[in-house]
């Protein structure tokens, strides 16, 4: 066999192997279907601002995916804290811009990282969400994401849970 035949066989075999790995990754391990409308509920566990302790917030978010990048918007729609309890409607909702990414894990649950920049009534604040995607293969409307959040508002952090439907509230059970 000549050296040119050996090179040709190596290139052809390498190309076939690369195509096989690409198809396995795309068909057997696709990115999670997170696009659409979600409700993220947070419960503050640690804070420097005492009125935020055990505060529950709910955000309605709209997100889309471009490769492993996530973009979207959010509105704060509910609060249960020492000073307030109830829904936010219309002009009383604060808005946030969302950016993030998906960490694809082939031997575990995918991780979703979201960065919120919220335009509050008194000042701008930011929050980072670290969530684990718990997808449903046949019914993506039953998918959830759970994890934790860190916020500059009150120097707080706590638990976060996201689902496709607004109620019943996760942290109020």
């Amino acid at each position: 066999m000549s050296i040119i035949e050996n090179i040709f066989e190596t290139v052809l075999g390498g190309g076939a192997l690369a195509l096989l790995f690409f198809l396995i990754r795309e068909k057997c391990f696709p990115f999670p279907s997170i696009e659409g409308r979600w409700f993220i509920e947070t419960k503050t566990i640690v804070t420097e601002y005492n009125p935020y302790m055990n505060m529950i917030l709910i955000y309605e978010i709209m997100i889309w995916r471009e490769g492993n990048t996530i973009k979207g918007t959010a509105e704060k729609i509910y609060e249960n804290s020492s000073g307030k309890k109830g829904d936010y409607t219309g002009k009383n909702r604060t808005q946030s811009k969302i950016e993030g990414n998906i960490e694809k894990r082939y031997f575990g649950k995918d991780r979703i990282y979201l960065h919120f920049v919220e335009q509050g009534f008194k000042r701008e604040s930011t929050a980072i969400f670290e969530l684990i995607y718990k997808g449903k293969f046949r019914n993506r409307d039953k998918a959830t994401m759970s994890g934790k959040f860190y916020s500059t508002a009150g120097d707080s952090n706590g638990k976060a849970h996201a689902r496709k439907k607004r109620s019943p509230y996760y942290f109020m059970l």
Side-chain angles (χ1 to χ4, degrees):
M1 217 183 255
S2 74
I3 191 158
I4 295 192
E5 288 174 335
N6 285 338
I7 291 172
F8 179 73
E9 287 176 356
T10 302
V11 169
L12 187 62
L17 193 58
L19 179 63
L20 177 66
F21 284 142
F22 171 78
L23 291 173
I24 288 172
R25 186 189 78 187
E26 294 298 315
K27 297 299 177 188
C28 297
F29 302 103
F31 277 106
S33 296
I34 62 165
E35 300 84 1
R37 179 181 181 199
W38 288 80
F39 296 92
I40 293 187
E41 305 164 28
T42 66
K43 182 173 184 181
T44 303
I45 305 298
V46 176
T47 182
E48 294 296 319
Y49 184 60
N50 214 27
Y52 288 175
M53 187 61 71
N54 295 316
M55 176 173 63
I56 295 171
L57 297 175
I58 300 176
Y59 295 87
E60 179 179 359
I61 69 171
M62 303 290 187
I63 55 176
W64 64 92
R65 181 179 64 82
E66 297 172 3
N68 72 328
T69 301
I70 300 168
K71 295 182 181 181
T73 59
E75 292 185 1
K76 187 186 324 179
I77 63 171
Y78 178 84
E79 180 175 336
N80 183 354
S81 66
S82 63
K84 298 178 186 170
K85 183 176 181 178
D87 292 321
Y88 288 107
T89 58
K91 67 179 182 176
N92 295 321
R93 290 184 174 184
T94 59
Q95 297 188 346
S96 302
K97 296 283 185 198
I98 300 172
E99 292 184 357
N101 66 44
I102 299 171
E103 182 182 298
K104 184 75 190 132
R105 295 191 153 197
Y106 295 101
F107 300 109
K109 302 278 186 188
D110 297 331
R111 294 184 186 265
I112 311 295
Y113 297 94
L114 301 175
H115 176 231
F116 281 46
V117 178
E118 184 173 349
Q119 300 299 321
F121 293 117
K122 295 182 181 177
R123 70 177 187 89
E124 181 179 279
S125 64
T126 63
I128 299 287
F129 289 79
E130 297 176 7
L131 305 168
I132 296 174
Y133 180 79
K134 298 172 185 168
K136 304 293 183 189
F137 182 69
R138 291 205 163 86
N139 188 352
R140 71 182 211 167
D141 287 340
K142 292 191 177 182
T144 63
M145 296 186 277
S146 293
K148 48 193 166 184
F149 77 93
Y150 305 90
S151 176
T152 59
D155 193 20
S156 57
N157 65 70
K159 299 177 187 179
H161 183 78
R163 67 175 80 196
K164 292 283 195 167
K165 297 190 187 286
R166 179 173 175 185
S167 60
Y169 301 116
Y170 181 75
F171 291 118
M172 299 178 132
L173 299 175

